[in-house]
Structure formats: structure tokens, C-alpha cells
Amino acid sequence: SMAQTRGNALVQWLVATMFIITMLGGAKAVLLCDIESSKLSLCYAAVTGKHPPKPNAKCCQVNKHANLPCLCSYKSILLSVGINPANALALPSKCGLETPPECKGNLI
């Protein structure tokens, strides 16, 4: 079912996020590219699916404080965790922010 697929994608995404965080400095590190891991979920709806909703104010707030070039360096793993890279890379501009050069060009 669709709901189950969505749930699985979220679990995969969280596992991947935790995996990255662990790789970057053990379980205590909760910052990924200057974003607290707990806040990444605020943008989840805006980066999944074919026609995602516009990112909300909370998601844009997260983007404002994020190290976007750093985030974009992870774009190759986005697909594997159920995130649409095109949606993810469109977030900064949808939030009225400058899209870094690292985030433009090849999405795969």
C-alpha cells in the first residue's frame, strides 16, 4: 500500500541520516551540514513525491541555517533514501535563498 511504502521510505531516510551522522563523528553528533538531525523531518514532505507541497516556514528556516553546499554533496544518496533530488535541490530557491553552484547541474 502507498502508506506502507511511504513509511518504509521514511524509515530508510532516518536510517541513512543516522548512518551519516554516525560516520561524521559518533552518536553524539546531531548536526548534519549545520542542521540538527531532528529538524530534517520538517522538510520531508517538501522533498518527497512527484508533486510536493511548497516548503513551509519551518523547513525554510532549517534551510537558512544549513550548509547547503555540504548538503548537496550528499545528493547521490538522496534517491536511495526515497528523497527526490530535484525537489531537495529546489528547496533553497523555493525558500527565497541562493542555490549554491554545488546544487546545480547534474542531479543524479
Side-chain angles (χ1 to χ4, degrees), residues 11-31:
V11 169
Q12 286 176 336
W13 181 72
L14 290 171
V15 167
T17 305
M18 295 318 291
F19 177 69
I20 292 164
I21 289 165
T22 305
M23 277 178 23
L24 291 179
K28 280 200 214 87
V30 289
L31 282 180

Side-chain angles (χ1 to χ4, degrees), residues 46-108:
V47 295
T48 51
K50 284 199 171 73
H51 305 287
K54 227 173 112 72
N56 61 27
K58 284 181 177 168
C59 171
C60 286
Q61 204 55 37
V62 169
N63 268 273
K64 265 194 190 94
H65 299 290
N67 177 340
L68 293 173
C70 164
L71 271 182
C72 290
S73 67
Y74 288 106
K75 63 188 172 190
S76 58
I77 61 162
L78 295 179
L79 270 177
S80 63
V81 292
I83 292 173
N84 180 332
N87 297 349
L89 301 183
L91 272 184
S93 62
K94 284 183 181 174
C95 290
L97 303 168
E98 193 67 41
T99 303
E102 292 86 344
C103 299
K104 294 175 179 155
N106 191 1
L107 292 179
I108 306 298

Side-chain angles (χ1 to χ4, degrees), residues 37-54:
S37 53
S38 58
K39 291 184 177 166
L40 285 169
S41 59
L42 294 171
C43 291
Y44 191 71
V47 295
T48 51
K50 284 199 171 73
H51 305 287
K54 227 173 112 72

